[in-house]
Amino acid sequence: MVQEQIFCIVDMQYPFVSDEDAHRIEAVALASLAARNRNERIFVLEDTHGHSTHDRIKQALCGYDRVSYLRKSQWDGSLQVEIEACQHQLNPAHITVCGAYAEQCVLATIVGLRDRYPTTRLTMIREACCPAPTRQFTDHDWERTSRRLAVSLN
């Protein structure tokens, strides 16, 4: 197994994001480019109920041979991450997560990743996460969640 840095993008697709989320979409695209420049493995999780990942993000990943597009049918995409990591014989040393919705699919994926990889360093890029339309966490909520799950917030 190879120690690897993994960058996960969760549900950055219509109807979860729209052009109104332009600054968050751009933040994800820039974070994707940074992960690409660091030669990280990139997993793009797409909900089966949505369209494909936003064009701006796909543009940032175009031509990169270390990206995988993975379909999921529930909030938590950690199983797809684990399966893909096993297929590539990867042992995740650090997993960075961003996407939509922060309080739903992103959080569920982080919880699942923590269960699957209890000693792996996890980071969530808050600026590159779209908030849920119904329940948005406060800074206090995120701090508590971060401590409980041992996740760094950027």
Side-chain angles (χ1 to χ4, degrees):
M1 292 280 236
V2 177
Q3 286 281 321
E4 186 78 52
Q5 309 285 328
I6 296 175
F7 183 74
C8 290
I9 302 168
V10 180
D11 296 345
M12 288 301 290
Q13 62 197 96
Y14 180 80
F16 310 112
V17 296
S18 68
D19 291 336
E20 294 174 8
D21 300 305
H23 72 285
R24 305 265 188 204
I25 293 166
E26 188 61 23
V28 171
L30 292 173
S32 301
L33 286 170
R36 183 179 173 160
N37 290 338
R38 291 187 301 268
N39 200 37
E40 293 181 11
R41 178 73 62 172
I42 299 175
F43 295 162
V44 181
L45 298 165
E46 296 178 323
D47 191 285
T48 56
H49 300 99
H51 296 257
S52 68
T53 296
H54 193 278
D55 286 341
R56 173 64 183 105
I57 297 163
K58 288 194 294 190
Q59 175 188 12
L61 300 173
C62 183
Y64 188 55
D65 64 354
R66 292 173 51 81
V67 62
S68 300
Y69 288 83
L70 311 172
R71 302 293 281 173
K72 65 181 188 64
S73 59
Q74 57 190 15
W75 283 10
D76 178 6
S78 66
L79 175 62
Q80 288 77 6
V81 170
E82 182 179 48
I83 290 170
E84 191 72 4
C86 285
Q87 286 178 346
H88 292 282
Q89 298 182 356
L90 306 176
N91 180 18
H94 181 204
I95 303 174
T96 302
V97 183
C98 64
Y101 295 124
E103 297 83 357
Q104 295 172 358
C105 294
V106 173
L107 181 58
T109 298
I110 288 171
V111 169
L113 289 170
R114 177 50 67 222
D115 287 343
R116 293 174 193 285
Y117 301 104
T119 61
T120 296
R121 186 171 158 227
L122 297 178
T123 301
M124 183 181 112
I125 305 174
R126 283 184 63 193
E127 182 59 31
C129 288
C130 297
T134 52
R135 166 88 162 83
Q136 295 180 11
F137 278 19
T138 65
D139 286 343
H140 177 71
D141 293 329
W142 282 119
E143 289 167 14
R144 281 185 21 230
T145 301
S146 171
R147 282 193 308 273
R148 184 173 60 90
L149 295 173
V151 175
S152 300
L153 299 176
N154 284 352

